Amino acid sequence: MAATFTVFSDEVIPGWAEGFARLLREGSQATVGVASSLEAALDSRTDVLVLALGRRFDARPSDHQIARLSNRRIIAMSTTADWLRRQVGALETVTGMSSGNDHRMTSTSSELLGSQAPNLPFHAFKKRYETPLAEFNDLTPMLHFGPTRLTEFRPDIDYIVTLSKLKECAVVMRQASVVYAGVHAHPDEFSIEYRQLIRRVAFALATRPVEPLAPIVVNRQMHPPGTVRFELSRWEGSNDDNMRTFHFRFEQPTAFTATLEHTGSDAMMLLFNGDGGTGRLHWTRVDSEAGETLTIAANINQQALESLGHRYWELQVVNFDRDKGGTAKLSVRYDTPSSDTRLTPLAGDDGVETLNWRAHALLLAARDGDENASARIRRHAPAAKIEQAAVRRVVAREHGFGDWPTLSAHVAWELPNTLPSALAFGTRLSFERGLARYPDSFSAPQLAELFDGFPEPVASMLGAAFTQAKERGHQHFTTEHLLEALIDDPISNHVLQSVGCDIEALHPELDALLEALPTTTFVGETQVSEPFCSATYRADFIPALGREDMNPGSLLAGLMGEDCHAQKLLAKQGIRQQDFVNYVSHGIPTSLAGPAAPGASVLDPQLEAVVQRAFASAKASHHEFLTTEHLTAALLSEGDVADAVRSMGADVDDFARDVADHVDTTPRSDEPGRTKPTRAFNEIMQVALALAQRAGRGQASPGDAFDAILRERDLPTCHLLAGATEGGTPSRPKSRG
């Protein structure tokens, strides 16, 4: 009986399904159908299902379809295997690495195709491709090869084609009745050798009995708790010498911590996760740019252990420094409920506020003569004087961190992608990709297409600014043109005023820079400059409070990451990139602006004034963080908030003193003026805005902010208010020690 096939592609490569159907029909009696939808393909009853899907996360089959996926013959093209694995879990043949170069491949002796002799190298494509990274897109012919190593997974995985030089990397392989084929291109671009091979694979699979997918258990060396030292080479692409991977298995709920100390490298990464097949568990990544110690903590519960199943937890140390190698010292600790001196797991919502509150409670208990509190301090800080710094160190060590700064950095709100060095490679690549994709003209419409479209009002603002630049005879659109456009936009104008910019003083200096730009008569459109493209790329990574997608305020923050004349003009006025991030992402003004144009601010003038007072107070006290308690202290001067406190039965003045006393326990910074908002502060501002929008208002008020704080029961404000309403004595949090 002739083999039957169903082919489906979601048109990442137009015409792919029809092209592969023609390949299967060549010289055969096979019945080949092209499905009109993924649902129709999954419901088909043919011998083999061929799927070519992009990196999609939207398609969730029915339970019935998922059950059938584990018990049918499938050819999964490149990234399709990643989608398939999220459905069935047991699949190990997935995309690992990718290359735009047409590497030579070698067919191996396999159970599916039998002996392959002679094993002559061949290429995947009709013509040779050496695609620069900047030119990659969905249509780029690519090779995807699986991360699985032959020595680990044989005989459970049947390796059919490997790279000739990297024989551990498989391009075509089979697990049970699922074949992974990692050649990404239109079938008409396949080489003769690869067309013949993939046809043989398809027909051999069609006649093979169906094997249900089952987990593959691989025995790996597990890393014990303790310390290990090792060297890592500089990053040269996919070389194994610049990374180390450690594996772990836990039989019961575990508090896991890993601390990496290192020297030499300026770009070290620590990554922890568990591959649960259908999803990643406890995925946590931290990066170092200047030799900082990196720490990861994970509270692994029973549900996570069951989800991981037969697989392993992995900890990766990678050196991304292109110039220098590194020396690393990795310390790993994991504690269970039965450990003698077990770690205290961090709760998912633990932040600077809750941890500092816990430390202060420990200090008060020790001073009151609590023997358990004193014993905890002696255990972790035996020689230290009993004071706030010492008890913070105790709390840090009880959670598996070496000191308080490392713990507070772990739970703090961070935006590392705004740092110039963190995005240097991406900014350069985005510009190179634009030039490669649009060699004839890389102007405003092409830039918008490169970034998947600009939202309003960014699109209109940039369109008008490019037109004005052309009228001036400027062949390239610079960050100076961008700053001029942002001054005129109501949203970014309000942002500039809120970070203390003297716009009147800025205008003549900016005008002088624009007048100094060379002018010429040219045909076509004004072109994108690299600094402007880079600023736009950075802006795409900066979240804006209450706004979706990129907005003019984000562009200001992105511009400040560039080394350009426009950035220097703003820096000359004492404005930092962090000032823009503070206002755009958190709603924290450095100074109060005048009345905002409609839609220019998501906070009403009263709340902006409250937040500005809170921030000014934290900075004046040299506090490292702007916390929710700084915000509470400032909110209590608002009449409606004070009335709300009275309605709960608390004395406002007494409550305000309790809050002020606790604010004084906030850690102080060694760098005055570098006060940073906490993660809890950011969450409160987001909730406040959501409450306002739910009530049909476009701006959050002080009452919304206080309501948002009261919804977070573990914040110090809530503990203090509970104590004030229960008899005037501030409550203390329950100790987790």
Side-chain angles (χ1 to χ4, degrees):
M1 182 180 293
T4 60
F5 299 88
T6 297
V7 183
F8 175 74
S9 169
D10 57 7
E11 293 300 299
V12 171
I13 299 177
W16 191 96
E18 291 76 9
F20 200 82
R22 288 194 300 271
L23 181 153
L24 292 173
R25 294 184 186 119
E26 289 174 0
S28 76
Q29 300 298 315
T31 300
V32 185
V34 175
S36 59
S37 67
L38 178 60
E39 292 70 23
L42 296 178
D43 287 334
S44 65
R45 299 285 176 172
T46 51
D47 295 328
V48 179
L49 173 61
V50 182
L51 294 175
L53 308 177
R55 295 186 183 276
R56 58 191 296 164
F57 297 88
D58 58 329
R60 173 66 182 171
S62 66
D63 292 342
H64 170 71
Q65 289 171 330
I66 290 174
R68 288 201 62 224
L69 284 172
S70 299
N71 290 276
R72 72 176 301 182
R73 305 177 190 90
I74 300 172
I75 299 178
M77 297 295 179
S78 59
T79 55
T80 305
D82 300 335
W83 173 84
L84 189 59
R85 188 186 201 189
R86 289 195 298 274
Q87 318 310 321
V88 298
L91 193 65
E92 301 290 349
T93 52
V94 293
T95 301
M97 295 172 283
S98 305
S99 174
N101 295 340
D102 188 8
H103 297 278
R104 293 200 300 176
M105 307 183 300
T106 303
S107 57
T108 67
S109 295
S110 63
E111 186 179 346
L112 183 65
L113 298 184
S115 177
Q116 300 293 300
N119 294 331
L120 298 177
F122 63 96
H123 291 278
F125 310 117
K126 278 183 179 178
K127 61 180 182 178
R128 297 292 303 278
Y129 290 97
E130 300 290 336
T131 310
L133 185 59
E135 298 180 23
F136 277 20
N137 58 49
D138 290 339
L139 301 180
T140 302
M142 296 181 68
L143 287 181
H144 298 282
F145 30 98
T148 53
R149 295 183 178 276
L150 276 65
T151 53
E152 289 185 332
F153 286 91
R154 270 183 170 160
D156 298 279
I157 290 182
D158 189 20
Y159 293 86
I160 301 167
V161 176
T162 65
L163 297 180
S164 297
K165 289 187 177 180
L166 300 172
K167 296 185 181 299
E168 292 287 297
C169 296
V171 180
V172 182
M173 52 186 162
R174 178 186 61 85
Q175 179 184 347
S177 293
V178 177
V179 168
Y180 168 86
V183 176
H184 174 83
H186 192 285
D188 291 349
E189 296 184 64
F190 292 170
S191 67
I192 294 175
E193 294 86 353
Y194 185 70
R195 286 179 70 88
Q196 292 173 344
L197 182 134
I198 202 66
R199 274 174 49 83
R200 290 182 60 207
V201 166
F203 284 95
L205 183 66
T207 58
R208 185 181 179 87
V210 174
E211 300 175 50
L213 274 173
I216 300 175
V217 179
V218 176
N219 292 320
R220 289 193 170 108
Q221 180 178 351
M222 290 187 288
H223 186 67
T227 299
V228 61
R229 293 173 172 81
F230 50 92
E231 302 286 329
L232 295 175
S233 69
R234 66 187 180 91
W235 187 74
E236 298 180 88
S238 301
N239 59 310
D240 288 340
D241 295 335
N242 73 316
M243 66 179 69
R244 286 283 298 272
T245 301
F246 303 89
H247 297 97
F248 306 88
R249 290 291 298 273
F250 306 118
E251 302 300 326
Q252 56 182 314
T254 301
F256 172 91
T257 58
T259 301
L260 181 71
E261 301 170 71
H262 62 95
T263 58
S265 167
D266 290 331
M268 197 73 79
M269 180 199 79
L270 190 62
L271 173 66
F272 178 77
N273 80 107
D275 184 354
T278 56
R280 294 183 300 188
L281 305 168
H282 284 287
W283 192 95
T284 309
R285 171 177 172 168
V286 289
D287 292 84
S288 168
E289 290 190 322
E292 305 96 328
T293 296
L294 301 175
T295 299
I296 284 177
N299 181 23
I300 302 168
N301 58 23
Q302 186 62 37
Q303 182 180 358
L305 294 176
E306 293 172 1
S307 297
L308 188 74
H310 65 284
R311 294 188 172 93
Y312 294 81
W313 301 95
E314 285 191 355
L315 182 70
Q316 279 193 328
V317 184
V318 183
N319 177 27
F320 286 112
D321 195 315
R322 295 169 176 266
D323 301 315
K324 296 176 290 185
T327 299
K329 174 186 173 184
L330 178 68
S331 300
V332 171
R333 175 177 174 179
Y334 37 94
D335 293 73
T336 66
S338 59
S339 301
D340 292 335
T341 57
R342 67 187 184 91
L343 293 178
T344 303
L346 277 173
D349 58 352
D350 271 339
V352 170
E353 287 89 347
T354 55
L355 293 167
N356 187 55
W357 172 258
R358 219 167 286 152
H360 190 56
L362 177 61
L363 175 65
L364 296 179
R367 287 178 175 173
D368 287 346
D370 186 303
E371 182 53 36
N372 178 57
S374 299
R376 289 167 59 194
I377 295 173
R378 288 194 300 270
R379 184 185 309 137
H380 295 287
K385 181 181 178 182
I386 298 180
E387 57 186 6
Q388 196 72 34
V391 292
R392 288 196 199 104
R393 191 183 320 138
V394 171
V395 169
R397 290 181 176 175
E398 287 180 338
H399 286 292
F401 292 79
D403 52 38
W404 172 262
T406 306
L407 172 60
S408 62
H410 182 78
V411 299
W413 190 94
E414 293 289 346
L415 194 62
N417 283 330
T418 63
L419 298 173
S421 55
L423 285 181
F425 178 72
T427 56
R428 185 171 61 253
L429 180 61
S430 67
F431 183 64
E432 292 174 356
R433 184 170 289 166
L435 293 177
R437 189 176 297 183
Y438 311 107
D440 297 329
S441 178
F442 184 26
S443 189
Q446 292 76 34
L447 182 70
E449 184 177 298
L450 186 68
F451 285 96
D452 296 324
F454 289 136
E456 292 295 348
V458 172
S460 298
M461 179 191 71
L462 291 180
F466 266 79
T467 299
Q468 185 179 25
K470 181 179 180 180
E471 291 171 351
R472 288 171 166 168
H474 294 163
Q475 200 161 5
H476 289 90
F477 190 89
T478 67
T479 50
E480 290 71 53
H481 293 103
L482 174 62
L483 181 55
E484 182 184 44
L486 291 170
I487 289 174
D488 293 335
D489 177 83
I491 293 177
S492 45
N493 184 283
H494 184 75
V495 173
L496 284 164
Q497 294 182 60
S498 298
V499 299
C501 178
D502 185 342
I503 295 178
E504 287 190 11
L506 183 65
H507 261 304
E509 294 181 304
L510 181 59
D511 290 343
L513 287 175
L514 289 167
E515 289 173 7
L517 292 175
T519 60
T520 184
T521 301
F522 59 93
V523 177
E525 301 301 322
T526 295
Q527 300 295 291
V528 170
S529 69
E530 183 171 0
F532 166 63
C533 183
S534 298
T536 308
Y537 179 84
R538 293 180 195 280
D540 215 21
F541 286 87
I542 298 170
L545 181 66
R547 305 184 191 275
E548 296 182 3
D549 303 317
M550 187 188 302
N551 75 83
S554 302
L555 282 169
L556 280 168
L559 184 153
M560 288 300 288
E562 288 302 303
D563 183 12
C564 60
H565 292 301
Q567 182 270 342
K568 289 181 172 65
L569 285 183
L570 294 169
K572 183 179 175 182
Q573 295 193 12
I575 301 170
R576 304 169 302 143
Q577 184 185 44
Q578 187 61 47
D579 296 326
F580 284 112
V581 173
N582 280 347
Y583 187 75
V584 171
S585 298
H586 307 281
I588 303 170
T590 306
S591 61
L592 292 179
S601 175
V602 295
L603 308 183
D604 71 16
Q606 291 76 24
L607 184 53
E608 284 212 347
V610 165
V611 175
Q612 194 274 335
R613 288 199 305 272
F615 187 51
S617 172
K619 286 179 65 177
S621 300
H622 296 173
H623 286 162
E624 183 179 0
F625 298 104
L626 172 63
T627 69
T628 52
E629 282 55 62
H630 289 95
L631 181 59
T632 299
L635 283 168
L636 288 173
S637 62
E638 298 297 306
D640 56 342
V641 174
D643 289 343
V645 172
R646 291 190 192 95
S647 71
M648 298 176 197
D651 183 280
V652 175
D653 293 335
D654 289 344
F655 177 53
R657 279 192 292 271
D658 291 340
V659 172
D661 288 344
H662 184 71
V663 165
D664 284 342
T665 72
T666 306
R668 282 171 166 74
S669 173
D670 294 332
E671 299 180 82
R674 299 289 179 176
T675 301
K676 300 175 294 186
T678 64
R679 186 173 62 188
F681 182 95
N682 180 264
E683 290 170 354
I684 290 303
M685 299 305 291
Q686 291 186 54
V687 172
L689 185 57
L691 292 172
Q693 292 171 341
R694 194 178 303 164
R697 292 179 279 111
Q699 294 181 319
S701 68
D704 295 321
F706 192 59
D707 190 359
I709 291 173
L710 296 182
R711 291 166 184 260
E712 298 296 327
R713 297 295 184 184
D714 204 32
L715 287 176
T717 289
C718 296
H719 289 297
L720 292 168
L721 186 57
T725 57
E726 292 169 4
T729 303
S731 66
R732 295 180 183 176
K734 294 180 180 179
S735 171
R736 297 192 184 187

